[in-house]
Every structure is written in C-alpha cells, then in structure tokens.
Amino acid sequence: MKLLGPSITVALLAYAIYSWGTFIYHNAIVFGFLRTIPVSTFVQEEDIRYIPDTVHCEDLHYHAPSKTLFTACEDYPETRFQWFPPLTNFNDSSILKTHHGSLHVIDPETKKSQRLTVDNFDGPFITHGIEVLTNPEQPNAVYIYAVNHLPNPEPVIAIHPPPADVPKARSQIELFHHVIGTTTATHLRSIWHPLIRTPNDLVATSPTSLYVTNDHLYRDHGPMRFMEDRYAKAEWTDVIYLQFSLEAPSTPAETDALAGVTAHVALDKFHNANGLGHSRYENEVAIASAASGVLSISELPSSPLSKSSMITVLNRIEFDSTIDNPSYFSDPYAGTADSVDHSGFVVAGLGKAHTLAQTRKQPEAKDPVMVWFAKPVKQEENGNVIWEKRLLFEDDGTRIRSASAAVLVAIDPEKEGGKRKAWLFITGFVSSSVVAVKVDL
C-alpha cells in the first residue's frame, strides 16, 4: 500500500480542520452560543398588540382572499410541558383527556381571535403545523389541515413502560372544512400513513393532496437526536407526498385514518426538514432546515404521483439563527408609494436555541426570538438568487417566548402618510399569545 506524501497529508489535514472549524463556527452562530441575550427591538406602545386567547399556537397562516389569519392553538399552558412529541415532552399523556387544542381565526384589523367550534370531532388535539386552502368549489370556504400529535395506542394497551422500539406518539393530520365568517368548522376525516412519523408542517396542492415534513428520525431525547440536530450532515429527514379522499370510507374506527391514503417520499436526505410554506410561484415551496438555519427554495415535481419525481432544491438562504415555519409576503402595494416591491420570505426562530433542551420543560423560562425578512435583489446568470436579509424583530423572551411562525400583513400606505409599513404577526410553540408588531418595510 502506497503512503500519501507529506504535502498531501498536510493538505488533507488542513482541509479537515477548516471544514470542522467552519461547521463548529456556523453551529455556534445558529444555535446562539456566541450571542448574548438579544436586544429587544424598541417598539412604541401603540405599535404592539397582544392577541387574547392565543396560547401556544405553533403555526400561523394569512389567507389573503378573506384577509384572515388562521392558527391552531394548544389553549392550555400546561399541555406543552406534559405532552408535546416535537419537544420530546412525553411526561403525562393523561392530560389530553381534559385539555384539547382548537382552531382559531384572527382578524388582523381588530387583532381579535375567534375560537372555532368543531363539529364531528371530540378527540385530543395536540396542535402543531397547519395549512389553509381555498375550496375551489366554494370560494367562501377553506379546508384546514392540521397536525395532531396523538399518543400511540399501542403503548397504552401494552406493558408499562412501553418497549423502547415502540414510538410513544402516533401523529396524524386532521382535515377540517370552514365557511369564512362563521364560528364553526366541520371535521371531515383524519389522515395517517406509516410514512408520517414526525410530522411538522404542511403544504396542500389540492383538497386531496399535500406535502408534509418529517422533522426528525430519532423521536426521543438522547445522543442520537442531539447529533441529528447539531450535525448538518445528518440528512436523515424527508418530505412526504400524500393523496387521500376527502372523507374516510366506512371502515373500523382504528383504521379510518389510513383508509384511502397513499404516500411516497418526495424529498429525502434533508437535514431537519421542519417548516414548509408556499413560495413565489405555484410550483414552488420553501423548506426550512431548522437546526441549520437554512431555507431551501424548491420546485415541486410536475408529476407528483410518480414516485421517481422528486422535489428539486433551487436556492438556499442562510440565516444566523434557527428558523421554523416560513411564510411568503406578496406585497399587495408593490409599485405604489415608494415604487418598490417588498415581497419576500418571513422566517422566525430562536435567538439561543442551544438552551431549548433545558427550557422545553420549564413553564417559567424565556426563549429569545428572532424574526427575519429576506427578499431577492439580484438573479445571477446561473440562476442563483442573491437575497437581502434583515432582522425585522427580536426579543429576549419577555414580550414573546419562542417564535415558530411569523407573517406580514401590509398596511395601506395612505393610512401611514405614504410610508410602507406592515403588521408583523408572530407566534411560538410556547408563546402565551400571538403578538402583532408594526414594522417598516
């Protein structure tokens, strides 16, 4: 066996040191090891609102046709710290017998929230990511898709504690129908498939098809999950494409969620696939690698039914913090007032994510937040897009604890003396309320 020459050995060693040094530095930035407690953005008292009855709402969607915000909230502060699989909180699932989450509609003008009464649904609802899609056959109505992190029924009937190889949760997706302007929604069915393992966020492409992210391979707290979060090359998560009927066929209760559901992997070998959102065009989505702080602008396959047709990553935007559910702000006043199109991506994340392993079980803790805005400023000949990034808002965790989603709702420039401003709505998986902040575009 021929040994490498000294110069080659030194070069390889230098490359390895550089690579690991770059990785360690990036990790330290994203997880906030090198960051002091974020300086809270100064906001005039009249420019910040706290929306009542919006406890622990992880995701937030702006439905432009109805000018309405939708979210799913846990409602009870105790639930997240007793049972929330995404944070590996598996303390006590018995709380779910009396504590259920709910769907909420928020009026961005009045800053008031309305809980929806749901017909045909009385089971536990452990909320996470949601999606809202206009009903193409009824424009004044929407379909709402929501992740529900249920306990696995197998361990419940098995020996306690359950075997280590049996997942503690068996998460599924709930499908609801809601007529805009009413205070009710109807539960149409539950959706489950073995490929849905650790669902986080959703994007619907039709009433009967959607993409869902699995955010982790390892479901419980431990060294492998730690490595999965911290090592960017741990590309162990995926995005699943689902098709289903609007109503489950009449089958035994325990299999209703699987009835009529087909699924396949649409994107694999992705690091910490977390938030999933709509993008600039109908055939684009934005996928957040939360622990990497990277947003991947991606193209959906033209033939999604083909198992060989995969999502294609087109462009990546790197941020200096962890990120979560992305939203795309389509500027309705582009070209007016300042003659600038302020469309772009809004992403929220944690300022000191490295402390989450401790704070996830502490109801009184603070989790600092950072909310970013990125808009395209130049497209190069090779198709790569140059993005302008800026921090819209940050807080030390006092005004809002954790940030997992944020959306911009534009304000008519005539109401602001020609200035371009918007209301920034921020929510978090352990925030006591949705917060609205007036910001400059």
Side-chain angles (χ1 to χ4, degrees):
M1 180 177 177
K2 188 176 180 179
L3 298 177
L4 296 174
S7 60
I8 296 178
T9 302
V10 170
L12 289 174
L13 181 60
Y15 176 76
I17 293 173
Y18 171 78
S19 298
W20 274 100
T22 302
F23 158 70
I24 292 171
Y25 179 73
H26 176 74
N27 195 284
I29 292 291
V30 169
F31 277 84
F33 285 102
L34 303 181
R35 185 180 294 117
T36 58
I37 298 296
V39 177
S40 298
T41 304
F42 174 76
V43 180
Q44 297 284 356
E45 186 177 348
E46 64 271 19
D47 290 342
I48 185 167
R49 310 282 181 82
Y50 300 90
I51 300 175
D53 191 31
T54 52
V55 176
H56 296 182
C57 314
E58 196 271 348
D59 201 1
L60 190 63
H61 281 254
Y62 179 62
H63 184 246
S66 64
K67 298 181 179 179
T68 306
L69 292 162
F70 287 86
T71 187
C73 305
E74 208 55 55
D75 293 336
Y76 299 92
E78 303 86 359
T79 309
R80 279 282 194 260
F81 303 101
Q82 295 300 321
W83 180 268
F84 191 53
L87 287 181
T88 65
N89 284 346
F90 300 105
N91 301 335
D92 183 11
S93 63
S94 67
I95 193 173
L96 307 179
K97 296 177 182 178
T98 55
H99 293 57
H100 297 175
S102 64
L103 299 172
H104 291 240
V105 177
I106 299 172
D107 184 333
E109 289 291 329
T110 65
K111 314 295 187 294
K112 292 182 179 180
S113 172
Q114 170 69 59
R115 280 197 208 195
L116 298 182
T117 301
V118 180
D119 299 326
N120 196 34
F121 185 70
D122 58 2
F125 189 24
I126 303 89
T127 61
H128 199 173
I130 68 165
E131 165 68 315
V132 180
L133 179 73
T134 301
N135 183 343
E137 298 180 358
Q138 189 179 352
N140 69 327
V142 295
Y143 292 106
I144 304 173
Y145 308 80
V147 172
N148 187 5
H149 292 293
L150 296 173
N152 192 339
E154 291 185 44
V156 173
I157 61 175
I159 298 173
H160 290 270
D165 60 344
V166 177
K168 296 174 183 176
R170 203 216 68 173
S171 306
Q172 61 188 30
I173 298 161
E174 310 297 350
L175 172 56
F176 306 90
H177 190 259
H178 167 68
V179 176
I180 301 296
T182 69
T183 59
T184 62
T186 301
H187 182 254
L188 300 181
R189 66 164 300 171
S190 299
I191 302 165
W192 181 78
H193 189 276
L195 288 178
I196 300 175
R197 301 181 304 277
T198 54
N200 186 300
D201 206 1
L202 317 156
V203 160
T205 52
S206 79
T208 58
S209 61
L210 57 81
Y211 291 89
V212 56
T213 54
N214 283 311
D215 61 24
H216 283 86
L217 174 64
Y218 291 92
R219 308 183 192 215
D220 213 341
H221 196 64
M224 292 307 295
R225 180 152 171 138
F226 178 86
M227 178 181 290
E228 184 175 10
D229 284 338
R230 300 299 174 87
Y231 183 44
K233 295 298 183 182
E235 298 170 335
W236 302 336
T237 62
D238 51 25
V239 180
I240 306 300
Y241 178 71
L242 293 165
Q243 275 205 308
F244 45 87
S245 56
L246 282 179
E247 296 183 6
S250 180
T251 55
E254 64 269 21
T255 59
D256 275 352
L258 182 57
V261 179
T262 61
H264 66 263
V265 176
L267 179 66
D268 61 1
K269 299 179 181 178
F270 197 92
H271 180 233
N272 195 204
N274 192 288
L276 184 64
H278 294 275
S279 188
R280 301 166 294 178
Y281 313 113
E282 189 174 337
N283 65 335
E284 268 190 5
V285 292
I287 311 169
S289 174
S292 295
V294 175
L295 188 67
S296 295
I297 314 306
S298 307
E299 185 178 48
L300 296 176
S302 57
S303 303
L305 295 179
S306 173
K307 294 183 180 181
S308 60
S309 296
M310 305 287 279
I311 294 172
T312 303
V313 175
L314 304 174
N315 204 248
R316 290 155 53 96
I317 312 173
E318 297 186 359
F319 296 91
D320 289 340
S321 72
T322 58
I323 60 173
D324 212 312
N325 305 319
S327 67
Y328 184 72
F329 171 64
S330 182
D331 186 359
Y333 300 104
T336 64
D338 59 2
S339 301
V340 176
D341 185 349
H342 292 280
S343 300
F345 290 99
V346 184
V347 289
L350 302 178
K352 295 185 76 66
H354 68 94
T355 65
L356 188 59
Q358 292 76 45
T359 61
R360 66 189 176 91
K361 291 183 178 293
Q362 300 171 355
E364 303 304 321
K366 292 182 180 181
D367 293 294
V369 311
M370 305 181 80
V371 181
W372 302 89
F373 183 63
K375 68 176 184 178
V377 293
K378 179 182 178 183
Q379 183 162 349
E380 299 177 330
E381 292 183 2
N382 61 3
N384 190 45
V385 178
I386 305 300
W387 299 86
E388 176 188 272
K389 296 172 288 186
R390 67 185 176 97
L391 199 58
L392 276 180
F393 179 82
E394 63 180 327
D395 192 72
D396 63 3
T398 300
R399 293 177 292 188
I400 180 169
R401 177 186 175 183
S402 79
S404 49
V407 300
L408 283 170
V409 178
I411 301 173
D412 187 337
E414 291 187 3
K415 296 181 179 180
E416 295 292 337
K419 296 179 180 178
R420 295 304 319 278
K421 292 179 178 287
W423 282 102
L424 174 67
F425 292 84
I426 314 165
T427 190
F429 47 89
V430 285
S431 60
S432 58
S433 68
V434 175
V435 175
V437 182
K438 187 182 287 189
V439 297
D440 294 319
L441 291 175

